[in-house]
């Protein structure tokens, strides 16, 4: 397991201080956290982040690398199931917040063509709704717990 390390100037590291699991956290294990994040609180958007400070995917250790795919798969599946979205994106940039994380974004049928693909990020300001995002957390958490315990993705591709 990774040695816990956090940087005080890192937004993603600062999320470790959030202990309000009912409001924002889908899951936390020793290596990863899946949660709704302030500033990215569009309903159906969640962040999957490594719990220690690691920059880029190249900064992950062997245990983090070995578990990333399953955590990403299960969170994407849970978000897709809970939202009924026809598409759910897994986006990794790390430029604004240089701490390895992935943004999971449910793309509902109501999202116009000009906001699909990479342009979905424009919804961050256009569709932010912290209360609606928080209301979705318990349903995503239940779906995640079930899917992760089954060990297999049951949501159709």
């Amino acid at each position: 397991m990774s040695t816990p390390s956090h940087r005080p100037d890192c937004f993603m590291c600062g999320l470790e201080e959030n202990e309000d699991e009912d409001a924002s956290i889908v899951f936390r294990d020793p290596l990863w956290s899946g949660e709704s994040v302030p500033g990215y609180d569009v309903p159906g958007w969640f962040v999957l982040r490594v719990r220690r400070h690691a920059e880029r995917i190249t900064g992950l250790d062997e245990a983090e690398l070995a578990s990333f795919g399953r955590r990403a798969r299960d969170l994407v599946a849970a978000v897709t199931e809970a939202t009924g979205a026809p598409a759910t994106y897994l986006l990794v940039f790390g430029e604004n917040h240089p701490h390895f994380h992935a943004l999971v974004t449910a793309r509902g049928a109501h999202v116009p063509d000009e906001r699909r693909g990479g342009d979905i990020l424009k919804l961050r300001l256009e569709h932010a709704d912290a209360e609606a995002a928080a209301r979705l957390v318990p349903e995503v958490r239940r779906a995640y717990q079930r899917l992760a315990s089954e060990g297999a993705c049951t949501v159709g591709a």
Side-chain angles (χ1 to χ4, degrees), residues 4-50:
S5 64
H6 301 103
R7 287 188 25 195
D9 61 335
C10 176
F11 173 75
M12 292 293 166
C13 286
L15 296 172
E16 280 298 306
E17 303 302 317
N18 181 4
E19 295 182 10
D20 190 3
E21 292 189 27
D22 289 334
S24 64
I25 299 171
V26 173
F27 81 94
R28 276 196 177 160
D29 67 26
L31 302 177
W32 296 98
S33 184
E35 58 205 282
S36 177
V37 173
Y40 294 84
D41 40 17
V42 173
W45 287 26
F46 294 86
V47 168
L48 174 64
R49 66 178 176 81
V50 65

Side-chain angles (χ1 to χ4, degrees), residues 122-133:
K122 293 177 181 173
L123 297 180
R124 178 178 168 218
L125 300 176
E126 296 171 3
H127 289 215
D129 183 340
E131 290 178 13

Side-chain angles (χ1 to χ4, degrees), residues 111-129:
V111 174
D113 288 346
E114 65 273 9
R115 291 294 182 262
R116 294 183 183 196
D119 283 336
I120 197 165
L121 293 174
K122 293 177 181 173
L123 297 180
R124 178 178 168 218
L125 300 176
E126 296 171 3
H127 289 215
D129 183 340

Side-chain angles (χ1 to χ4, degrees), residues 52-74:
R52 70 174 181 94
H53 188 78
E55 295 184 10
R56 299 179 207 69
I57 198 165
T58 57
L60 298 179
D61 67 21
E62 291 303 314
E64 292 159 346
L65 279 170
S67 57
F68 172 67
R70 172 170 259 182
R71 297 299 176 267
R73 179 198 66 188
D74 292 344

